[in-house]
mmCIF file of all heavy atoms in Angstrom:
data_model
loop_
_atom_site.group_PDB
_atom_site.id
_atom_site.type_symbol
_atom_site.label_atom_id
_atom_site.label_comp_id
_atom_site.label_asym_id
_atom_site.label_seq_id
_atom_site.Cartn_x
_atom_site.Cartn_y
_atom_site.Cartn_z
ATOM 1 N N ASP A 293 135.989 60.526 110.213
ATOM 2 C CA ASP A 293 135.368 61.056 109.001
ATOM 3 C C ASP A 293 133.862 61.216 109.170
ATOM 4 O O ASP A 293 133.185 60.334 109.715
ATOM 5 C CB ASP A 293 135.655 60.127 107.820
ATOM 6 C CG ASP A 293 137.113 60.158 107.409
ATOM 7 O OD1 ASP A 293 137.920 59.443 108.037
ATOM 8 O OD2 ASP A 293 137.445 60.910 106.489
ATOM 9 N N LEU A 294 133.355 62.341 108.686
ATOM 10 C CA LEU A 294 131.932 62.645 108.741
ATOM 11 C C LEU A 294 131.518 63.265 107.412
ATOM 12 O O LEU A 294 132.177 64.186 106.921
ATOM 13 C CB LEU A 294 131.629 63.611 109.893
ATOM 14 C CG LEU A 294 130.183 64.070 110.071
ATOM 15 C CD1 LEU A 294 129.880 64.295 111.556
ATOM 16 C CD2 LEU A 294 129.868 65.345 109.284
ATOM 17 N N VAL A 295 130.417 62.773 106.824
ATOM 18 C CA VAL A 295 129.894 63.342 105.588
ATOM 19 C C VAL A 295 128.587 64.058 105.893
ATOM 20 O O VAL A 295 127.745 63.555 106.636
ATOM 21 C CB VAL A 295 129.702 62.263 104.500
ATOM 22 C CG1 VAL A 295 128.714 61.184 104.935
ATOM 23 C CG2 VAL A 295 129.253 62.892 103.185
ATOM 24 N N MET A 296 128.439 65.271 105.334
ATOM 25 C CA MET A 296 127.225 66.058 105.492
ATOM 26 C C MET A 296 126.371 65.932 104.234
ATOM 27 O O MET A 296 126.869 66.098 103.119
ATOM 28 C CB MET A 296 127.563 67.536 105.726
ATOM 29 C CG MET A 296 128.228 67.830 107.047
ATOM 30 S SD MET A 296 128.562 69.614 107.276
ATOM 31 C CE MET A 296 126.897 70.303 107.177
ATOM 32 N N VAL A 297 125.083 65.662 104.431
ATOM 33 C CA VAL A 297 124.137 65.592 103.328
ATOM 34 C C VAL A 297 123.186 66.779 103.453
ATOM 35 O O VAL A 297 122.425 66.879 104.426
ATOM 36 C CB VAL A 297 123.352 64.266 103.332
ATOM 37 C CG1 VAL A 297 122.405 64.199 102.144
ATOM 38 C CG2 VAL A 297 124.311 63.079 103.314
ATOM 39 N N HIS A 298 123.247 67.678 102.470
ATOM 40 C CA HIS A 298 122.478 68.920 102.553
ATOM 41 C C HIS A 298 120.991 68.703 102.301
ATOM 42 O O HIS A 298 120.573 67.686 101.742
ATOM 43 C CB HIS A 298 123.016 69.936 101.545
ATOM 44 C CG HIS A 298 124.402 70.411 101.844
ATOM 45 N ND1 HIS A 298 124.768 70.920 103.079
ATOM 46 C CD2 HIS A 298 125.520 70.463 101.072
ATOM 47 C CE1 HIS A 298 126.040 71.261 103.051
ATOM 48 N NE2 HIS A 298 126.528 70.986 101.848
ATOM 49 N N CYS A 299 120.214 69.696 102.688
ATOM 50 C CA CYS A 299 118.770 69.652 102.483
ATOM 51 C C CYS A 299 118.437 69.998 101.030
ATOM 52 O O CYS A 299 119.317 70.102 100.176
ATOM 53 C CB CYS A 299 118.074 70.602 103.454
ATOM 54 S SG CYS A 299 118.555 72.341 103.299
ATOM 55 N N VAL A 300 117.175 70.191 100.774
ATOM 56 C CA VAL A 300 116.670 70.337 99.410
ATOM 57 C C VAL A 300 117.214 71.581 98.714
ATOM 58 O O VAL A 300 117.281 72.663 99.286
ATOM 59 C CB VAL A 300 115.123 70.367 99.425
ATOM 60 C CG1 VAL A 300 114.604 71.539 100.253
ATOM 61 C CG2 VAL A 300 114.550 70.388 98.017
ATOM 62 N N ALA A 301 117.612 71.403 97.456
ATOM 63 C CA ALA A 301 117.876 72.505 96.530
ATOM 64 C C ALA A 301 118.891 73.518 97.032
ATOM 65 O O ALA A 301 118.752 74.718 96.788
ATOM 66 C CB ALA A 301 116.558 73.220 96.173
ATOM 67 N N VAL A 302 119.924 73.043 97.735
ATOM 68 C CA VAL A 302 121.009 73.928 98.141
ATOM 69 C C VAL A 302 122.339 73.267 97.788
ATOM 70 O O VAL A 302 122.408 72.059 97.543
ATOM 71 C CB VAL A 302 120.982 74.258 99.651
ATOM 72 C CG1 VAL A 302 119.664 74.899 100.051
ATOM 73 C CG2 VAL A 302 121.257 73.028 100.502
ATOM 74 N N SER A 303 123.381 74.071 97.772
ATOM 75 C CA SER A 303 124.731 73.577 97.504
ATOM 76 C C SER A 303 125.610 73.878 98.714
ATOM 77 O O SER A 303 125.147 74.427 99.716
ATOM 78 C CB SER A 303 125.297 74.255 96.258
ATOM 79 O OG SER A 303 125.461 75.649 96.495
ATOM 80 N N ARG A 304 126.896 73.552 98.607
ATOM 81 C CA ARG A 304 127.820 73.879 99.693
ATOM 82 C C ARG A 304 127.862 75.379 99.951
ATOM 83 O O ARG A 304 128.066 75.816 101.090
ATOM 84 C CB ARG A 304 129.226 73.392 99.339
ATOM 85 C CG ARG A 304 129.394 71.885 99.275
ATOM 86 C CD ARG A 304 130.722 71.513 98.641
ATOM 87 N NE ARG A 304 130.761 71.942 97.248
ATOM 88 C CZ ARG A 304 131.857 72.009 96.506
ATOM 89 N NH1 ARG A 304 133.033 71.699 97.023
ATOM 90 N NH2 ARG A 304 131.800 72.407 95.249
ATOM 91 N N SER A 305 127.677 76.183 98.906
ATOM 92 C CA SER A 305 127.775 77.639 99.065
ATOM 93 C C SER A 305 126.454 78.287 99.458
ATOM 94 O O SER A 305 126.447 79.453 99.870
ATOM 95 C CB SER A 305 128.278 78.275 97.758
ATOM 96 O OG SER A 305 127.359 78.049 96.708
ATOM 97 N N SER A 306 125.342 77.553 99.358
ATOM 98 C CA SER A 306 124.046 78.165 99.675
ATOM 99 C C SER A 306 123.311 77.444 100.798
ATOM 100 O O SER A 306 122.158 77.750 101.068
ATOM 101 C CB SER A 306 123.161 78.184 98.422
ATOM 102 O OG SER A 306 122.834 76.869 97.991
ATOM 103 N N THR A 307 123.989 76.504 101.460
ATOM 104 C CA THR A 307 123.345 75.771 102.548
ATOM 105 C C THR A 307 122.891 76.720 103.661
ATOM 106 O O THR A 307 123.578 77.710 103.949
ATOM 107 C CB THR A 307 124.318 74.728 103.130
ATOM 108 O OG1 THR A 307 123.762 74.187 104.340
ATOM 109 C CG2 THR A 307 125.666 75.341 103.457
ATOM 110 N N PRO A 308 121.771 76.418 104.326
ATOM 111 C CA PRO A 308 121.364 77.229 105.479
ATOM 112 C C PRO A 308 122.226 76.978 106.711
ATOM 113 O O PRO A 308 122.016 77.611 107.748
ATOM 114 C CB PRO A 308 119.910 76.788 105.718
ATOM 115 C CG PRO A 308 119.830 75.418 105.145
ATOM 116 C CD PRO A 308 120.754 75.409 103.971
ATOM 117 N N GLN A 309 123.196 76.061 106.602
ATOM 118 C CA GLN A 309 124.130 75.785 107.701
ATOM 119 C C GLN A 309 125.563 76.060 107.234
ATOM 120 O O GLN A 309 126.426 75.180 107.283
ATOM 121 C CB GLN A 309 123.985 74.335 108.154
ATOM 122 C CG GLN A 309 122.599 73.995 108.692
ATOM 123 C CD GLN A 309 122.504 72.551 109.129
ATOM 124 O OE1 GLN A 309 122.826 71.627 108.396
ATOM 125 N NE2 GLN A 309 122.059 72.351 110.362
ATOM 126 N N PRO A 310 125.857 77.284 106.810
ATOM 127 C CA PRO A 310 127.143 77.564 106.168
ATOM 128 C C PRO A 310 128.353 77.443 107.083
ATOM 129 O O PRO A 310 129.463 77.169 106.617
ATOM 130 C CB PRO A 310 126.979 79.004 105.667
ATOM 131 C CG PRO A 310 125.959 79.603 106.591
ATOM 132 C CD PRO A 310 125.012 78.488 106.891
ATOM 133 N N THR A 311 128.176 77.651 108.380
ATOM 134 C CA THR A 311 129.316 77.618 109.299
ATOM 135 C C THR A 311 129.444 76.293 110.050
ATOM 136 O O THR A 311 130.412 76.093 110.787
ATOM 137 C CB THR A 311 129.216 78.765 110.323
ATOM 138 O OG1 THR A 311 127.942 78.678 111.003
ATOM 139 C CG2 THR A 311 129.299 80.123 109.629
ATOM 140 N N LEU A 312 128.477 75.406 109.861
ATOM 141 C CA LEU A 312 128.531 74.133 110.574
ATOM 142 C C LEU A 312 129.738 73.273 110.180
ATOM 143 O O LEU A 312 130.350 72.646 111.057
ATOM 144 C CB LEU A 312 127.227 73.359 110.363
ATOM 145 C CG LEU A 312 127.135 72.007 111.079
ATOM 146 C CD1 LEU A 312 127.291 72.161 112.590
ATOM 147 C CD2 LEU A 312 125.810 71.316 110.746
ATOM 148 N N PRO A 313 130.123 73.203 108.887
ATOM 149 C CA PRO A 313 131.304 72.388 108.562
ATOM 150 C C PRO A 313 132.550 72.788 109.346
ATOM 151 O O PRO A 313 133.301 71.928 109.819
ATOM 152 C CB PRO A 313 131.481 72.616 107.057
ATOM 153 C CG PRO A 313 130.104 72.916 106.567
ATOM 154 C CD PRO A 313 129.476 73.716 107.669
ATOM 155 N N ASP A 314 132.782 74.087 109.505
ATOM 156 C CA ASP A 314 133.959 74.532 110.261
ATOM 157 C C ASP A 314 133.843 74.169 111.735
ATOM 158 O O ASP A 314 134.843 73.815 112.386
ATOM 159 C CB ASP A 314 134.153 76.038 110.109
ATOM 160 C CG ASP A 314 134.713 76.414 108.748
ATOM 161 O OD1 ASP A 314 135.395 75.573 108.132
ATOM 162 O OD2 ASP A 314 134.465 77.544 108.293
ATOM 163 N N ALA A 315 132.620 74.257 112.280
ATOM 164 C CA ALA A 315 132.433 73.885 113.685
ATOM 165 C C ALA A 315 132.698 72.394 113.887
ATOM 166 O O ALA A 315 133.396 71.987 114.827
ATOM 167 C CB ALA A 315 131.015 74.243 114.137
ATOM 168 N N LEU A 316 132.174 71.570 112.990
ATOM 169 C CA LEU A 316 132.388 70.128 113.086
ATOM 170 C C LEU A 316 133.855 69.759 112.853
ATOM 171 O O LEU A 316 134.352 68.766 113.401
ATOM 172 C CB LEU A 316 131.507 69.402 112.070
ATOM 173 C CG LEU A 316 130.008 69.373 112.375
ATOM 174 C CD1 LEU A 316 129.228 68.885 111.156
ATOM 175 C CD2 LEU A 316 129.718 68.472 113.580
ATOM 176 N N ALA A 317 134.535 70.573 112.034
ATOM 177 C CA ALA A 317 135.933 70.276 111.698
ATOM 178 C C ALA A 317 136.870 70.401 112.889
ATOM 179 O O ALA A 317 138.028 69.977 112.815
ATOM 180 C CB ALA A 317 136.404 71.195 110.567
ATOM 181 N N GLU A 318 136.393 70.940 114.006
ATOM 182 C CA GLU A 318 137.195 70.951 115.230
ATOM 183 C C GLU A 318 137.346 69.540 115.795
ATOM 184 O O GLU A 318 138.254 69.277 116.593
ATOM 185 C CB GLU A 318 136.534 71.854 116.278
ATOM 186 C CG GLU A 318 136.489 73.325 115.903
ATOM 187 C CD GLU A 318 137.876 73.946 115.848
ATOM 188 O OE1 GLU A 318 138.716 73.576 116.708
ATOM 189 O OE2 GLU A 318 138.123 74.763 114.951
ATOM 190 N N HIS A 319 136.472 68.628 115.363
ATOM 191 C CA HIS A 319 136.472 67.272 115.915
ATOM 192 C C HIS A 319 136.510 66.177 114.850
ATOM 193 O O HIS A 319 136.787 65.023 115.174
ATOM 194 C CB HIS A 319 135.219 67.064 116.770
ATOM 195 C CG HIS A 319 135.015 68.109 117.816
ATOM 196 N ND1 HIS A 319 135.692 68.103 119.011
ATOM 197 C CD2 HIS A 319 134.224 69.220 117.821
ATOM 198 C CE1 HIS A 319 135.321 69.152 119.734
ATOM 199 N NE2 HIS A 319 134.436 69.849 119.038
#
């Protein structure tokens, strides 16, 4: 299990790392 904590003033849909969750989900 891994939890991501986003940067300032963004949500899951507006994060500057929108594709990172899927990349991490490979592992």
